[in-house]
Amino acid sequence: MNPRKIKSALISVFNKEGLAPIIKLLDKNDIKIFSTGGTQKFIEEMGIEVTPVENVTDYPSILGGRVKTLHPKIFGGILFRRELVDDEKQVIEFEIPNLDLVIVDLYPFEATVASGASDEDIIEKIDIGGISLIRAAAKNFKDVVIISSKNEYDLLEIILRDKQACTTINERKMLAVHAFDNTSHYDTAIFNYFAGEETKRFKKSIKNFQVLRYGENPHQQGVFYGDFDEMFDKLNGKELSYNNLVDVDAAIALIDEFEETTFAILKHTNACGVASANSPKIAYLNALACDPVSAFGGVIITNREIDADTAEELNKLFFEVLIAPSFNSEASQILCGKKNRILLKRKPTLVPNKLYKTLLNGVIEQDKDNKTETLEDLKVVTLLSPSEAEKKALLFANKIVKHTKSNTIVFANENRLIASGVGQTSRVDALRQAIEKANSFGFTVAGSAMASDAFFPFPDCVELAAAAGVKAILQPGGSIKDQDSIDACNKLGVAMVTTGIRHFKH
């Protein structure tokens, strides 16, 4: 196992939290400690003997602390290959101390950027000596232990307390992997800061991860990279699956379109129910009525607190996930009665404005679709203008269109989804599907507003919609045959508006 006993340690950390117990164990094991700057002072104040790095290098800390440990006697002590005779001769010749353990962290660059600090302050938090020491120790893991984060202090305590300060090659290699993980993440953050939003390099680093039960299907492995706990408090239920996470992401994107009290129910990322009302209970019941069949086993989200009355209604339905900004105590008690039901309390966290997807042998990136149309975006292109109520219905439908798989057609009134056709290979098929679905649940699309994710290349969609009683249509426009659909609307007494904005979703 190639064991190595720690006999000496170099310590230089920005964050002293959790360091004191380590120092005490090093002293208890008679391990010689080298340090500098604030860390040296911290150790001295504990009453423990420490050798200043300056005594080894014969150089003080210079340039305002920018150069402290960058010296051959320090790096030689780390990179010295113990099994090589020539290395050992040079170490003796130049009086280089063996350094068996390196405890170094990095300046908080990301936290400094996030704080809104000045460029000058941010640049001063680009670590030079620390990251070099970490890389050197990790490179020579056959002989040296590298602790590059306080997250490894627990393991180091076990080594010092229970293993007589001896490490195995596997332990040292594992810590080297952690070290290179930390340095690569750090360098990525620095690159992205300097390059800004316009960079044409794909460099992303996410340290948090969660191994999932499986991927999209049980025979596929799955991992979520991200800090789920930053966005949600999980109040109840089993671990989220890959498909749960995909639906939760879609649910968040959809509900953020609405300011009024709204409930949405999703299945396979598509909305099967959306409604706004004066109370959460009514909004939920109206959303459920859109398609109670598809709602079974779905993901439900709202932008208001869940109260007891709403919870009683929700409790009648089997669903996978419920997301809300808060749950009152009675609601929590009602809904937590089923152990596998996932309840998520959403935190006010921003989500990225860039979207990524693996494709072929690479990754594609695009801006998030942040365009939400308003009344000012509606251009009336027909002789008949939609009423104010119809305009509101068109905008409501269009919010749902934006988050529905293409090709899609959505029917809605001012505050409620009536039916949608989703993910069809032709728009006219999506239209037929939506009409059929509305009819199957006892709704009619007559008098409703209709929205399409893209333009109409032919007038067939207008003709079918008019025959079903639709009175107002929204579409982006942009077809060379737009006039054919406009003429059909004028002939059939249907109002049409265009927005100039397409909302494909694949």
Side-chain angles (χ1 to χ4, degrees):
M1 297 294 287
N2 194 20
R4 287 281 189 270
K5 185 172 179 64
I6 299 170
K7 298 178 181 179
S8 60
L10 171 66
I11 310 174
S12 180
V13 295
F14 182 87
N15 186 349
K16 313 298 188 296
E17 182 184 349
L19 184 62
I22 299 293
I23 300 299
K24 291 178 182 177
L25 285 169
L26 291 172
D27 183 57
K28 186 177 180 180
N29 281 277
D30 296 321
I31 295 169
K32 185 175 179 62
I33 301 174
F34 299 87
S35 190
T36 185
T39 308
Q40 176 190 329
K41 182 180 179 182
F42 178 85
I43 297 170
E44 289 171 341
E45 289 175 350
M46 291 179 64
I48 292 175
E49 185 178 351
V50 55
T51 300
V53 166
E54 290 88 341
N55 290 2
V56 178
T57 64
D58 292 328
Y59 269 91
S61 174
I62 62 174
L63 306 180
R66 280 190 166 196
V67 181
K68 290 180 279 191
T69 55
L70 294 169
H71 194 280
K73 282 194 172 183
I74 299 301
F75 282 86
I78 296 170
L79 291 166
F80 158 43
R81 292 161 291 187
R82 275 65 168 172
E83 77 278 7
L84 294 188
V85 174
D86 287 346
D87 277 18
E88 187 172 3
K89 286 180 179 178
Q90 288 186 322
V91 163
I92 294 170
E93 178 185 357
F94 295 107
E95 299 180 334
I96 297 173
N98 289 1
L99 295 172
D100 305 316
L101 168 65
V102 175
I103 305 176
V104 176
D105 63 6
L106 297 167
Y107 290 157
F109 178 82
E110 288 181 282
T112 305
V113 173
S115 73
S118 67
D119 285 345
E120 182 179 357
D121 288 340
I122 290 169
I123 289 170
E124 284 306 311
K125 287 299 185 290
I126 298 176
D127 209 310
I128 303 300
I131 202 166
S132 301
L133 291 167
I134 291 171
R135 289 175 63 85
K139 176 178 179 176
N140 201 25
F141 70 89
K142 288 184 178 180
D143 299 305
V144 178
V145 178
I146 175 61
I147 300 295
S148 59
S149 165
K150 65 179 181 179
N151 294 333
E152 279 111 46
Y153 283 2
D154 287 346
L155 174 59
L156 181 58
E157 284 193 41
I158 292 171
I159 291 169
L160 296 172
R161 185 183 61 241
D162 303 335
K163 298 185 176 183
Q164 295 75 52
C166 289
T167 61
T168 66
I169 184 66
N170 289 338
E171 287 170 334
R172 295 193 298 277
K173 186 173 183 180
M174 176 191 69
L175 288 167
V177 170
H178 293 175
F180 285 123
D181 179 25
N182 289 333
T183 59
S184 64
H185 179 84
Y186 195 77
D187 282 336
T188 298
I190 294 169
F191 168 82
N192 286 327
Y193 169 75
F194 275 93
E197 290 289 328
E198 300 306 315
T199 178
K200 295 299 182 270
R201 302 289 189 273
F202 184 76
K203 291 184 185 290
K204 303 295 174 187
S205 178
I206 302 173
K207 299 203 70 175
N208 298 87
F209 71 92
Q210 177 184 341
V211 177
L212 305 175
R213 297 198 305 273
Y214 50 81
E216 198 163 10
N217 299 292
H219 63 278
Q220 297 169 268
Q221 293 183 340
V223 181
F224 170 67
Y225 295 98
D227 189 354
F228 188 81
D229 293 337
E230 182 185 17
M231 286 199 67
F232 303 100
D233 285 327
K234 183 164 165 287
L235 307 180
N236 189 69
K238 59 187 177 181
E239 291 302 314
L240 278 82
S241 69
Y242 178 100
N243 292 331
N244 288 154
L245 289 170
V246 173
D247 282 337
V248 166
D249 178 69
I252 292 293
L254 175 57
I255 203 68
D256 283 351
E257 298 285 347
F258 299 92
E259 295 182 2
E260 57 273 32
T261 301
T262 302
F263 258 89
I265 307 171
L266 292 88
K267 198 72 168 289
H268 298 298
T269 75
N270 293 308
C272 56
V274 184
S276 300
N278 292 329
S279 74
K281 177 180 176 180
I282 300 303
Y284 166 67
L285 291 173
N286 287 346
L288 178 64
C290 296
D291 184 350
V293 174
S294 297
F296 182 86
V299 169
I300 305 175
I301 189 167
T302 183
N303 54 7
R304 295 294 188 272
E305 180 177 78
I306 303 290
D307 56 27
D309 287 345
T310 309
E312 290 285 4
E313 294 297 334
L314 284 159
N315 204 41
K316 298 174 184 177
L317 178 72
F318 168 73
F319 57 85
E320 289 276 338
V321 184
L322 173 61
I323 310 160
S326 59
F327 299 77
N328 73 22
S329 57
E330 289 181 86
S332 295
Q333 188 174 3
I334 293 166
L335 294 168
C336 288
K338 297 182 180 179
K339 66 177 183 178
N340 287 331
R341 175 186 283 161
I342 299 168
L343 302 184
L344 299 177
K345 179 182 175 182
R346 186 183 178 187
K347 300 177 183 178
T349 307
L350 295 176
V351 292
N353 275 319
K354 295 287 186 180
L355 302 177
Y356 309 97
K357 184 178 182 180
T358 58
L359 194 82
L360 300 175
N361 62 347
V363 175
I364 53 174
E365 172 191 300
Q366 67 170 344
D367 296 332
K368 186 179 177 182
D369 185 356
N370 286 322
K371 176 62 178 176
T372 299
E373 285 78 0
T374 64
L375 289 171
E376 288 71 29
D377 295 305
L378 305 185
K379 179 184 177 182
V380 179
V381 294
T382 49
L383 298 175
L384 186 64
S385 294
S387 66
E388 291 305 307
E390 287 170 338
K391 287 179 181 178
K392 290 179 181 178
L394 290 168
L395 292 174
F396 189 95
N398 199 50
K399 289 177 180 179
I400 301 169
V401 157
K402 175 181 167 183
H403 297 279
T404 305
K405 294 289 186 183
S406 299
N407 290 303
T408 183
I409 292 289
V410 170
F411 293 112
N413 60 28
E414 292 179 65
N415 50 30
R416 179 173 173 175
L417 169 66
I418 294 174
S420 61
V422 305
Q424 298 301 301
T425 51
S426 74
R427 189 151 287 97
V428 71
D429 282 344
L431 175 56
R432 290 192 181 104
Q433 182 192 54
I435 293 172
E436 181 180 346
K437 193 157 212 177
N439 291 338
S440 69
F441 291 111
F443 294 107
T444 177
V445 301
S448 69
M450 181 180 104
S452 171
D453 58 336
F455 62 63
F456 301 126
F458 306 104
D460 49 0
C461 284
V462 170
E463 292 163 354
L464 281 171
V470 171
K471 295 300 181 183
I473 296 174
L474 178 151
Q475 56 125 338
S479 170
I480 59 173
K481 294 187 176 181
D482 271 350
Q483 194 59 47
D484 291 351
S485 293
I486 294 170
D487 290 343
C489 283
N490 287 332
K491 178 181 177 181
L492 297 167
V494 176
M496 176 180 283
V497 299
T498 59
T499 62
I501 303 294
R502 188 182 73 185
H503 289 296
F504 270 165
K505 188 170 186 291
H506 293 101

